Amino acid sequence: QVQLVESGGGLVQPGGSLRLSCAASGSISSINTMGWYRQRPGKERELVATMSIGGSTNYAGSVKGRFTISRDNAKNTVALQMDSLRPEDTAVYYCNLVQQWGPTYWGQGTQVDVSS
C-alpha cells in the first residue's frame, strides 16, 4: 500500500506564488511517474504536470512557464512551484503516482484559491 500526503495549499492573491509538496510512503515501484492534477469547480480532473523517475516532464499548456515540477527520487517526494497564479488556477490539486508495476495512487487533495 502507498500513501500520498500533500501540503502547501491555501489562499493567494493573483500574481502570487504557492508551493505544493507531496510525500509518498510505502512500497513504491522503482520505475514511476509522479505528478499533479487539479479539479477546478465544475470541471473534470485535468493534468497539471508530471515528472518521470528519469526526469522527463509534461506540463499542461495553461501552466507552462508559470509552474515548475520537481522531485527527489531518494525521498519519494514531488513538488509543484506555482508562480504568477491566476484566478483560473483555483482548484483542488491532487498528487498522483503512476507505477510501471502496480496500482496508481492519488493523494487526498489540497485546495488552492487564487483571489483578491
Side-chain angles (χ1 to χ4, degrees):
Q1 190 72 7
V2 173
Q3 278 195 318
L4 302 178
V5 179
E6 301 133 334
S7 60
L11 173 64
V12 64
Q13 292 186 341
S17 298
L18 276 178
R19 183 176 178 87
L20 305 182
S21 297
C22 173
S25 61
S27 180
I28 301 168
S29 170
S30 60
I31 300 176
N32 62 73
T33 295
M34 296 186 75
W36 294 91
Y37 287 69
R38 68 185 181 188
Q39 188 162 14
R40 295 184 280 180
K43 303 286 188 180
E44 294 188 351
R45 193 173 297 189
E46 61 183 1
L47 177 144
V48 177
T50 62
M51 179 178 274
S52 72
I53 194 83
S56 297
T57 58
N58 184 30
Y59 288 93
S62 60
V63 308
K64 274 184 182 177
R66 300 188 298 121
F67 292 10
T68 303
I69 190 169
S70 60
R71 63 182 290 175
D72 184 330
N73 293 335
K75 297 180 179 179
N76 289 320
T77 59
V78 64
L80 186 69
Q81 177 66 38
M82 304 186 293
D83 299 318
S84 302
L85 282 160
R86 305 168 180 169
E88 55 264 38
D89 294 317
T90 292
V92 178
Y93 284 73
Y94 296 91
C95 181
N96 170 264
L97 169 68
V98 176
Q99 306 180 93
Q100 183 172 16
W101 300 288
T104 294
Y105 290 93
W106 294 92
Q108 79 282 1
T110 185
Q111 180 70 45
V112 171
D113 289 300
V114 185
S115 174
S116 55

